[in-house]
Amino acid sequence: RTPAPKRGEILYAFGALMAEHKERLARAMTREMGKVLAEARGDVQEGIDIAYLMAGEGRRMAGETVPSELPDKWAMSIRQPLGVAGIITPWNFPMAIPCWKTMPALVTGNTVVFKPSSDTPHCATLLVELMAEAGFPPGVVNLVTGSGGEVGDAIVDSPDVSIISFTGSSTTGREIAQRAARRLKRVSLELGGKNGVVVLGDADLDLATDGVLWSAFGTTGQRCTAASRVIVERSVVEPLLQRLEARTRALRLGSGLDPAVDVGPLINAGAVDKVDSYVGIGRTEAELVLGGRRATEGDLAGGHFFEPTIFAAVGAMDRIGQEEIFGPVLSVIPVDDYGSAMLALNQTRYGLSSSVFTRDINKAFRAMRDFETGIVYVNAGTTGAEVHLPFGGWKETGNGHREAGHIALDTYTEWKSIYVDFSGRLQRAQIDNQPA
Ligand code: UN1
């Protein structure tokens, strides 16, 4: 019953607390999951941004007021909360993603049961402490740490939880959707990707190199939006590869707390094994240009470090061109022209993010129309989504829901249509106002 604008004020207070503690939160994040400090600050900032955006929704959250087809009758629709939202989040954006989910859930009047990844319980704890300090009443935000099998399944199976929002692997997402279907629960899924950058022959190659490097090796390739494919018109494959190779060699691998480091560790030993096994597959399918090894020298020995890796002459349907690796491995796929670039880009089961580098305005607009992804960038890499636009993917990246933007409210609310008859008599829609 708390008025939505009042709920919004608590979100605002939470955003302000995050801003006040930004540096402490960012350092804790880098220590817990490894992303470099500049990116950890960005992760915290994205949480602040969504808190402020959703705080404002407390005063909007608009429904519709429309005319009735009958005289002396009023018609309108309003949003109402679903009840308890079950929120299951990954380790790669351990603050931003929980905020993407909890902020719209809370401003619309739901309570939340939040299960963070088993790899990042500390980040989740810090967030929830600030939520308590911001003034969410006791019982509104509930943190439960533990494994998917123990805690996640219990949340998904609970008859008291009305909506599940999950970001993570396609395998887990599919299992959650199946379990939740038994109770006809709403499920919002944000799953795998195989995002591609298209570099056309007329592109600014230095700019394209910047965009590809940042998208492929930023966050050690562990973003849902990371680019793992670069689809290049044959005429510029060589000059682009030369630039990519030189710049990648200069990237420094190491602790995310060291400001000179560009690429931090992978999340855990399992991730290193997975990347390593895909590199093995890549060696049989394509040409290894550089990288391809676990880093074992000096301080890096014993950590989960893997060299930024580039494969050339990859076929669009090769396994390394198709399967999500979630690490610092980039596949360069040569193509003949815009048409074959577009086909290669779309030849995947996923559809989160894509980008095109070109100076040809007509080709840029064709790409904006043709690319089958929820996010398309022109002359920028595949990462960097802002919180006030819908975020989510086509095809097997998701199940049609979107996060962020005002559309995120749809995930956490039910619609109620209300008719008020002030004629004082029975009026039958579709009948009394039509010829017999
Ligand atoms: C993710 O990897 O799940 O667009 C989120 C980006 C970030 C969010 C990524 N703003 O890369």
Side-chain angles (χ1 to χ4, degrees):
R1 296 283 180 270
T2 307
K6 284 283 161 203
R7 298 197 290 256
E9 286 172 18
I10 306 174
L11 270 74
Y12 188 85
F14 169 66
L17 279 170
M18 276 187 94
E20 188 188 324
H21 292 275
K22 183 170 171 179
E23 193 59 23
R24 176 173 71 88
L25 296 173
R27 284 185 177 272
M29 188 185 306
T30 297
R31 288 171 59 97
E32 188 174 38
M33 57 68 70
K35 69 169 71 176
V36 299
L37 199 48
E39 293 186 36
R41 291 188 188 111
D43 190 318
V44 178
Q45 186 58 46
E46 203 160 341
I48 299 167
D49 293 345
I50 193 83
Y52 288 163
L53 176 74
M54 287 297 155
E57 286 301 337
R59 288 188 184 270
R60 289 187 290 267
M61 224 181 278
E64 287 183 316
T65 309
V66 292
S68 165
E69 64 185 53
L70 293 160
D72 299 328
K73 197 168 175 182
W74 182 279
M76 61 189 164
S77 62
I78 61 168
R79 289 180 187 277
Q80 291 200 316
L82 285 156
V84 183
I87 284 173
I88 305 175
T89 58
W91 47 264
N92 70 332
F93 274 81
M95 297 207 184
I97 291 179
C99 291
W100 284 6
K101 297 182 191 299
T102 52
M103 293 298 110
L106 292 167
V107 80
T108 49
N110 299 279
T111 59
V112 156
V113 178
F114 164 31
K115 187 204 103 58
S117 160
S118 309
D119 285 307
T120 49
H122 181 54
C123 284
T125 307
L126 295 178
L127 269 189
V128 168
E129 279 173 4
L130 291 184
M131 287 185 194
E133 194 178 334
F136 289 103
V140 168
V141 178
N142 305 279
L143 172 69
V144 190
T145 57
S147 70
E150 210 171 351
V151 179
D153 287 354
I155 293 173
V156 176
D157 290 340
S158 166
D160 297 326
V161 176
S162 313
I163 162 85
I164 304 291
S165 179
F166 170 77
T167 298
S169 76
S170 294
T171 313
T172 309
R174 234 177 262 275
E175 282 167 17
I176 288 177
Q178 283 169 2
R179 285 185 98 94
R182 290 191 215 129
R183 294 190 185 271
L184 299 177
K185 262 182 214 190
R186 188 177 298 180
V187 179
S188 168
L189 299 173
E190 189 53 54
L191 311 174
K194 194 69 192 173
N195 310 301
V197 176
V198 168
V199 180
L200 296 178
D202 64 82
D204 175 340
L205 291 185
D206 292 325
L207 179 63
T209 304
D210 285 340
V212 170
L213 274 182
W214 171 232
S215 308
F217 302 131
T219 330
T220 322
Q222 303 173 108
R223 289 192 188 213
C224 306
T225 52
S228 52
R229 304 183 293 157
V230 50
I231 298 158
V232 191
E233 258 188 271
R234 252 175 246 286
S235 56
V236 291
V237 166
E238 274 318 308
L240 183 72
L241 258 177
Q242 276 167 16
R243 285 170 169 81
L244 284 174
E245 193 183 332
R247 292 279 303 281
T248 304
R249 273 190 206 290
L251 293 176
R252 284 196 47 189
L253 196 56
S255 161
L257 292 171
D258 177 348
V261 161
D262 304 294
V263 181
L266 288 164
I267 184 66
N268 52 34
V272 178
D273 289 343
K274 181 177 176 193
V275 171
D276 201 32
S277 98
Y278 271 108
V279 167
I281 293 165
R283 284 176 193 274
T284 68
E285 292 178 325
E287 290 165 23
L288 180 67
V289 177
L290 89 166
R293 289 178 311 183
R294 299 164 192 253
T296 50
E297 285 114 50
D299 286 352
L300 304 190
H304 305 310
F305 296 94
F306 202 94
E307 294 175 353
T309 301
I310 300 179
F311 282 102
V314 178
M317 299 309 287
D318 285 346
R319 283 189 64 189
I320 55 164
Q322 286 290 316
E323 297 174 23
E324 187 174 53
I325 301 172
F326 224 64
V329 180
L330 179 67
S331 291
V332 178
I333 302 173
V335 291
D336 292 330
D337 52 18
Y338 170 79
S340 37
M342 183 265 282
L343 284 178
L345 182 96
N346 289 339
Q347 255 173 353
T348 153
R349 344 186 246 137
Y350 300 115
L352 182 56
S353 184
S354 60
S355 92
V356 63
F357 283 88
T358 179
R359 289 171 169 131
D360 180 332
I361 186 84
N362 294 348
K363 285 184 179 148
F365 268 85
R366 284 170 70 185
M368 285 151 59
R369 178 196 61 195
D370 296 339
F371 289 5
E372 295 169 355
T373 55
I375 306 169
V376 177
Y377 291 91
V378 177
N379 290 328
T382 55
T383 65
E386 301 175 29
V387 300
H388 48 301
L389 280 83
F391 182 96
W394 291 22
K395 303 194 239 174
E396 291 183 30
T397 290
N399 60 345
H401 290 273
R402 287 293 182 274
E403 306 205 84
H406 59 81
I407 198 169
L409 302 181
D410 288 349
T411 300
Y412 300 98
T413 52
E414 277 292 11
W415 281 108
K416 185 180 279 180
S417 297
I418 302 173
Y419 301 90
V420 184
D421 195 316
F422 54 99
S423 69
R425 60 183 189 279
L426 175 70
Q427 299 199 85
R428 298 176 302 172
Q430 296 95 34
I431 298 171
D432 291 340
N433 53 346
Q434 298 295 338

